[in-house]
Every structure is written in structure tokens, then in C-alpha cells.
Amino acid sequence: MENLLAIFFTVLITDFVAEFGDKTQLLLIGMTSKYKMRDIFLGTLFANVVLNAIAVFIGGALNEILNSFLWAVKFVAAAAFIYFAVTTLKNDDDDEEEGTDSRIKFAPLAVFCTFFVAELGDKTQLTAVTFGANYGMSMIFVVFLACSIGLFAADIIGMLIGCFLKAKAPDGILKVLSFALFAGFGLFTVYQALGLLQARLSEKGSQAVVPVWPVMAAVAVLFAGLCLLQLWLNKKADKSSRA
């Protein structure tokens, strides 16, 4: 019993520390500017359970898949971050016009998908893979439970920080912070994806060189254009509402 508890708390604390200050925890702070706490809680909870189940129960297969396609996962995550950065610039009135019913219905799913692709292959999930392999099948449910609780505990702190900023910070501060977080992680994740793609090509013996900085420049220009387009749409909507 003592050995079981020791393993449980070792895994829990390790996963908690690994997640603390990680990009997914910071992104949850940003999500509080877009979604209700309930939606973020549900989306994150289910994403944590699924991610840790994948990591602990099929860790070996996960490693093989990620080794081949992690660069593609990173591109998907980058697209999600950039999308959230751009939509953070939308006027609050525009969000209300979209209808609360559709937002309530799809918000947990949006959080789930974004958190899932952001965390897939991240250090906290690789930690879960390692613990699952080290302790074996006899402790697999203990490792799964400890990883899930440790990861979710750190994420709850991110949610609470976001809610505090939303309630206490001056108007617009959380939006600016959210935009900066989503934009920064979006562009950085593109950079990671390009590096992983280059490494994958090298492993296969290809002499092709991924043009990292030209692609980064193109993505930055596209991102800036999308932001300007969203600001123009905001201005157009403001004029329409005053007419």
C-alpha cells in the first residue's frame, strides 16, 4: 500500500510540475476571455482523460506515430492558436450576434480540440508515456489516475488565474494578454513544426531543406493580414450598428 501511494504521488507531482507554466496552462488563461469557465473545465477535463489514456495505455504506439507525424500535429496546433488570436480581436457585440446557443453547444468541443492538439506530444504527455512504461501493466491505472489529476490540477490553476484577471483586471487587459499568448504560441509552434519536418526529412535521408525563415515570414504576413481584416470587419460592424 505504501509503495502504491508513493508511486501515485510521485507521478502526480511530476506531471503537475511539468505542466506548471507550460503553454497549455497559459493558453487556458487566454481562453477565459472567450469561453465560460464551465466550458473550459469540461473541454479540458475530457482532453486530459483522453490524452493520458492514450499516453499510458498505448504509449509505445503513440511514440511511433508521433515520431512520424508530430510535425503535422504541430501545424494543426499552430493553426488553432492563430485562429484564436485573430478571433480574440473580434468585438464582444459580434460574439453575441452569433447566438449563445451555438456557443454553448460547441465551446467545450473547441476547448477539447485545441487543448488536445496543443498537448499531444508535449512534455507532460511524454512524461506519462515514460511512467507507464517504467511501472508496467500492474500499475497502469495508478499511473493514469495520477497523471490525469496532476495535469488537471495545474490546468485548473491556469483557469482560475484567467477568471481572476477577467474579473479584476481593467477592461481589455485580458484580451490583450490572450491575443499575445495565442499569437506568440501560434508562431512559435509553426517554427517547431518546421524544425520537426526538417528532422523527419533528414531521418529519411532526404537532402531537401525546409525554408524555415521564408515560411515563418510568410506566416507572419498572413497572420498580420488576418488581424487587419478582423479589425476592418470590427470597424465596418461598428458603422453598421450606428446607422
Side-chain angles (χ1 to χ4, degrees):
M1 184 66 178
E2 289 183 5
N3 186 47
L4 188 148
L5 287 174
I7 292 172
F8 177 82
F9 283 108
T10 298
V11 176
L12 188 153
I13 292 170
T14 303
D15 226 46
F16 177 85
V17 172
E19 177 68 3
F20 207 81
D22 195 40
K23 68 176 180 296
T24 42
Q25 188 192 42
L26 296 175
L27 288 170
L28 288 173
I29 296 175
M31 283 186 182
T32 57
S33 71
K34 296 177 63 65
Y35 301 116
K36 294 179 180 179
M37 182 70 167
R38 176 194 60 195
D39 297 327
I40 300 172
F41 183 92
L42 289 174
T44 305
L45 175 62
F46 285 114
N48 273 320
V49 171
V50 174
L51 285 164
N52 283 298
I54 292 172
V56 174
F57 291 101
I58 56 171
L62 175 69
N63 275 341
E64 189 170 336
I65 293 169
L66 289 179
N67 188 47
S68 301
F69 299 107
L70 184 57
W71 62 270
V73 173
K74 290 292 185 182
F75 275 126
V76 174
F81 297 156
I82 289 172
Y83 167 78
F84 278 124
V86 173
T87 55
T88 298
L89 297 174
K90 290 179 70 174
N91 289 336
D92 292 335
D93 292 341
D94 294 340
D95 291 336
E96 290 175 5
E97 289 174 4
E98 289 177 4
T100 55
D101 290 341
S102 61
R103 292 189 54 161
I104 290 171
K105 187 183 296 183
F106 295 110
L109 180 61
V111 175
F112 172 90
C113 293
T114 305
F115 190 93
F116 185 89
V117 295
E119 191 68 25
L120 192 62
D122 205 22
K123 65 178 183 291
T124 43
Q125 197 180 39
L126 295 178
T127 300
V129 171
T130 302
F131 277 124
N134 287 347
Y135 289 116
M137 291 300 295
S138 63
M139 290 291 178
I140 198 164
F141 286 102
V142 174
V143 171
F144 165 71
L145 186 61
C147 284
S148 299
I149 293 173
L151 185 62
F152 194 56
D155 292 333
I156 285 177
I157 292 175
M159 297 180 216
L160 293 175
I161 292 172
C163 286
F164 175 81
L165 290 174
K166 190 174 184 178
K168 301 295 183 182
D171 291 342
I173 291 294
L174 183 57
K175 268 201 164 189
V176 172
L177 176 61
S178 300
F179 175 80
L181 286 172
F182 287 128
F185 284 124
L187 294 174
F188 178 67
T189 305
V190 171
Y191 177 77
Q192 283 184 314
L194 293 171
L196 290 168
L197 178 58
Q198 181 65 73
R200 184 61 181 164
L201 290 173
S202 299
E203 285 176 9
K204 289 185 173 183
S206 173
Q207 299 300 314
V209 177
V210 177
V212 175
W213 292 113
V215 172
M216 287 296 300
V219 171
V221 170
L222 175 62
F223 174 60
L226 290 172
C227 290
L228 290 173
L229 174 62
Q230 183 58 64
L231 293 173
W232 177 78
L233 290 173
N234 289 350
K235 189 175 181 180
K236 186 178 179 181
D238 286 341
K239 287 182 179 179
S240 298
S241 63
R242 290 170 189 163

